[in-house]
Amino acid sequence: MAEILTIEKLVYGGDGLARLDGKVIFTPYVLPGETVQADIERVKNDLWRGRLIDVTSPSADRVTPECPYFQRCGGCNYQHAGYAFQVDQKRAILREVLRRVGKIEFDGEIETIAGEPWQYRNRAQLHIENGAIGYFEHGSHTLCAIDHCPIVSPALNNAIAKLNAELPGFRWFTGTVELFTNETEIQVNVLDRVPPLIRPLFESLGTSGPIEYDGFRIGRNSFFQVNRFLIDRLVDCTVGDATGESALDLYAGVGLFSARLAKQFRQVTAVESSRGTFYDLQHNVPSISAENKTTEEYLAGSEQKPDLILLDPPRAGLGKQVVRELIRIGAPHLTIVSCDPATLARDLQGLLTSGYKIQKITLIDLFPQTFHLEAIVHLA
């Protein structure tokens, strides 16, 4: 059913929101203020989605996408918008989610940090099928074959080109490969069984072992930030000039924040649950005390009150148990690094109710051209 929609705003997830006959309709690849023609379908209950047919009245902020696969490939959401506009929209979305989910009325400025919007990714997960490589199409598991990706680094695009040249000889192989690079070496992690016939192709791309990135050893199953241009600024913004006797780094990963904390605090404890990542953490920051536990396990047995607790949780956020333990411990300063504004809002609500106050919020755009955003919140 084709309808004319007027887009009110962008929402977290990349869609634009419109209202029609009492229905709220979410449509991708649109911008606020635009009038568009879209096919409307009911997904479930009160959830309605639009499929864009035509932009009848485009926004002045609409631009021509740089990627020929945009709107088919599911990787990017905002290539049709100028980059400064993308960042402004993400700041508005972050503020709106804090208000809607957490009932948090933050009237202060949300600072933004942005970098180069293209060729920024040092990691890519690619799917291989029928001799082709690419990403899944938007909202499906259908392969969108590519010959390059404008948001990944030059080294990764070289690897994509090599795979494209060789994979037609291995049409029988279906799988997923994750590539990570420091622009000198490439780490190859095939997430499926690798038959002997195709193994030399993957081995020719790089190593399955750890590689070094800015002084950090990164194992193939260890998480590391994907924006190669903003890693130092992320650490600067998160840790800043904080000093003191003791700091606790939770969800510590390979030690990205612990390394800076160790220079500014007399005693640092880092907690990481993944065994492989924990070994990288110990190797990267040997001067600290490292614990191979979940954050929940560690906090439940902790009676210390450090000067600063830094938390960089996964997308699921902290959760009720961790928030409860943080309130019990009552550290004078908390810093949360969040990649999901909804779970951030939920977690902040509990902390603010207990007496913590937001000192500063910074949005750092680690994922240009996509709806994803990273927020750093300092509380006291």
Side-chain angles (χ1 to χ4, degrees):
M1 177 173 63
E3 299 282 1
I4 299 296
L5 304 175
T6 299
I7 307 303
E8 295 182 14
K9 62 181 179 179
L10 295 182
V11 297
Y12 187 67
D15 293 337
L17 181 149
R19 301 175 198 271
L20 181 71
D21 300 331
K23 300 188 289 286
V24 175
I25 301 160
F26 298 99
T27 305
Y29 312 122
V30 296
L31 295 178
E34 291 186 330
T35 302
V36 305
Q37 185 181 24
D39 270 334
I40 311 302
E41 66 172 346
R42 186 176 193 164
V43 180
K44 60 179 180 180
N45 299 330
D46 293 329
L47 178 59
W48 295 79
R49 298 198 63 85
R51 182 181 63 82
L52 184 64
I53 299 172
D54 185 40
V55 180
T56 55
S57 178
S59 165
D61 295 292
R62 180 173 282 273
V63 300
T64 301
E66 292 202 12
C67 179
Y69 311 107
F70 182 63
Q71 288 190 231
R72 190 158 60 88
C73 169
C76 291
N77 313 95
Y78 289 156
Q79 285 196 27
H80 61 301
Y83 184 53
F85 184 75
Q86 292 182 33
V87 176
D88 286 344
Q89 287 297 300
K90 289 184 180 184
R91 180 167 47 199
I93 288 167
L94 173 59
R95 197 182 293 276
E96 190 273 335
V97 173
L98 291 177
R99 183 185 302 116
R100 178 173 51 83
V101 177
K103 307 298 186 288
I104 298 166
E105 296 289 344
F106 180 71
D107 297 326
E109 180 186 0
I110 296 179
E111 299 179 13
T112 57
I113 297 173
E116 170 57 48
W118 303 103
Q119 296 189 333
Y120 65 86
R121 287 192 68 100
N122 57 32
R123 188 185 297 271
Q125 190 175 99
L126 297 147
H127 307 287
I128 298 168
E129 183 181 319
N130 197 30
I133 187 166
Y135 302 112
F136 286 141
E137 292 186 1
H138 181 75
S140 81
H141 284 86
T142 300
L143 184 72
C144 173
I146 65 169
D147 61 15
H148 74 290
C149 174
I151 67 169
V152 305
S153 76
L156 293 184
N157 270 315
N158 289 339
I160 290 171
K162 183 169 185 176
L163 286 168
N164 265 316
E166 300 291 337
L167 282 172
F170 302 95
R171 291 184 179 274
W172 45 266
F173 178 76
T174 297
T176 300
V177 60
E178 188 170 79
L179 304 176
F180 174 63
T181 185
N182 55 17
E183 290 305 292
T184 301
E185 300 172 277
I186 290 180
Q187 184 181 77
V188 183
N189 187 13
V190 185
L191 306 182
D192 305 270
R193 189 180 70 83
V194 184
L197 281 174
I198 198 173
R199 193 170 295 148
L201 172 57
F202 292 120
E203 291 173 348
S204 72
L205 295 176
T207 178
S208 61
I211 64 172
E212 191 161 297
Y213 197 110
D214 287 348
F216 292 91
R217 188 185 76 182
I218 316 294
R220 66 176 179 175
N221 293 312
S222 293
F223 171 79
F224 197 71
Q225 295 293 343
V226 303
N227 190 312
R228 65 195 184 104
F229 299 122
L230 291 179
I231 292 170
D232 290 342
R233 294 182 71 184
L234 172 65
V235 175
D236 288 342
C237 181
T238 302
V239 181
D241 57 2
T243 57
E245 281 293 304
S246 61
L248 176 59
D249 184 8
L250 300 174
Y251 314 93
V254 300
L256 179 64
F257 299 122
S258 296
R260 175 69 71 85
L261 291 170
K263 297 177 181 178
Q264 298 173 204
F265 287 80
R266 192 177 67 81
Q267 180 182 354
V268 175
T269 300
V271 180
E272 171 54 45
S273 62
S274 163
R275 180 60 61 89
T277 305
F278 175 73
Y279 292 145
D280 287 338
L281 170 65
Q282 287 183 307
H283 177 272
N284 293 330
V285 201
S287 62
I288 65 171
S289 173
E291 298 274 355
N292 185 205
K293 296 179 179 178
T294 67
T295 289
E296 290 82 357
E297 288 170 338
Y298 179 83
L299 289 179
S302 175
E303 298 299 329
Q304 303 298 314
K305 182 188 286 189
D307 299 312
L308 169 69
I309 299 179
L310 190 157
L311 307 103
D312 184 11
R315 197 167 302 282
L318 305 178
K320 290 182 180 179
Q321 182 180 344
V322 171
V323 168
R324 239 186 348 258
E325 294 294 341
L326 293 174
I327 293 169
R328 175 184 65 81
I329 291 169
H333 295 281
L334 300 178
T335 299
I336 302 174
V337 182
S338 170
C339 60
D340 188 292
T343 57
L344 171 65
R346 177 204 65 198
D347 296 335
L348 285 176
Q349 185 179 45
L351 293 167
L352 296 177
T353 301
S354 77
Y356 277 100
K357 305 292 183 186
I358 296 174
Q359 291 184 309
K360 181 180 178 183
I361 299 179
T362 303
L363 185 152
I364 180 164
D365 192 27
L366 297 181
F367 314 99
Q369 318 305 334
T370 81
F371 72 82
H372 299 289
L373 59 88
E374 197 93 355
I376 304 163
V377 183
H378 297 271
L379 302 110

